[in-house]
Amino acid sequence: MTRGGQARAKGDAAERKCIVTGQSAPKAGLIRFVVGPDGAVVPDIAEKLPGRGIWVSADRAAIDKAARKGLFSRAAKAQVTAPEDLADRVEAMLARRVVDLLSLARKSGQAVAGFEKVKDWLAKDQAEILIQASDGSGRGKSKLSTPQGGRFIGWLTGDELGLAFGRQNVIHVALAAGGLAPRVVEEAARLKGLRLSDGGDSAGKDRRRK
């Protein structure tokens, strides 16, 4: 990978076919699964596990349907088992992945948390991405706006953001451009498809229109 992330961007352009929709799409929007030695379906979030990949859109309904309708067995051309809570497991793994990336961004000085720090970064145009906890106060969140041309992420909880910053609860986070930002956006987008609600993303879109 280049320092600018160009190699990763090129790799992400590769497409795979979802076994549920039958449509091909960039890998960044799908989840890879493999069949383990015990014949059970295993999520391969990092896309590193050995075996033939089975791809499903990063969408809760799609994963549930694949497990319920036996589509993993059809794709594998063998009888395999898929746990009923497969979508929940994928969601938890994706959330952990986003948290870990944010933690790395914090340690490298690419991310800050807290209303005043985030407000300062936004005022100085240091932030490209505004992240706000889905369970935070709507009134408090409305006081900060997504950077012009930037991105908004609003479907992580305060506890999840807190894990990334070594605190009990975090509501406001700002992420600088470059570095780990593209990966955070990518993984957060996949997580969004697994969350049952928009987690405040609609509010984020409204703020971007202002």
Side-chain angles (χ1 to χ4, degrees):
M1 181 189 299
T2 65
R3 291 183 64 182
Q6 294 179 355
R8 180 176 176 81
K10 182 177 179 180
D12 287 347
E15 295 190 344
R16 296 291 186 272
K17 181 181 289 188
C18 171
I19 65 171
V20 177
T21 66
Q23 298 179 344
S24 295
K27 290 167 56 178
L30 291 91
I31 305 295
R32 183 179 189 263
F33 296 86
V34 297
V35 179
D38 58 353
V41 174
V42 179
D44 180 21
I45 304 299
E47 301 173 14
K48 294 182 179 180
L49 295 178
R52 178 176 176 271
I54 300 174
W55 298 82
V56 181
S57 298
D59 176 82
R60 174 171 288 274
I63 295 175
D64 283 340
K65 183 175 181 180
R68 187 175 66 253
K69 298 292 186 178
L71 300 185
F72 286 110
S73 294
R74 182 185 301 176
K77 298 180 180 180
Q79 187 62 41
V80 302
T81 58
E84 293 183 359
D85 64 343
L86 183 60
D88 290 333
R89 297 186 187 188
V90 173
E91 178 183 346
M93 294 171 73
L94 285 173
R96 184 73 239 186
R97 194 167 175 83
V98 175
V99 166
D100 288 344
L101 287 170
L102 286 174
S103 180
L104 290 173
R106 171 184 64 82
K107 293 174 182 177
S108 61
Q110 298 172 25
V112 294
F115 183 87
E116 293 300 331
K117 289 184 179 180
V118 171
K119 181 180 179 181
D120 182 61
W121 270 34
L122 290 170
K124 295 178 179 177
D125 293 328
Q126 289 182 253
E128 181 182 48
I129 301 165
L130 174 63
I131 306 174
Q132 293 183 309
S134 59
D135 51 352
S137 165
R139 181 179 180 182
K141 291 191 293 184
S142 67
K143 295 179 180 179
L144 298 175
S145 298
T146 304
Q148 184 68 31
R151 306 293 290 271
F152 175 78
I153 297 172
W155 45 96
L156 289 154
T157 68
D159 285 342
E160 288 169 338
L161 293 177
L163 286 173
F165 287 83
R167 305 179 189 176
Q168 186 172 359
N169 188 273
V170 168
I171 304 301
H172 312 282
V173 172
L175 191 61
L180 293 167
R183 292 181 62 190
V184 171
V185 170
E186 177 183 305
E187 297 298 348
R190 293 205 294 174
L191 174 62
K192 183 182 177 184
L194 273 293
R195 293 267 141 123
L196 295 177
S197 66
D198 65 9
D201 188 45
S202 296
K205 292 179 180 177
D206 289 341
R207 287 198 294 279
R208 284 197 295 270
R209 297 192 190 103
K210 294 182 180 179

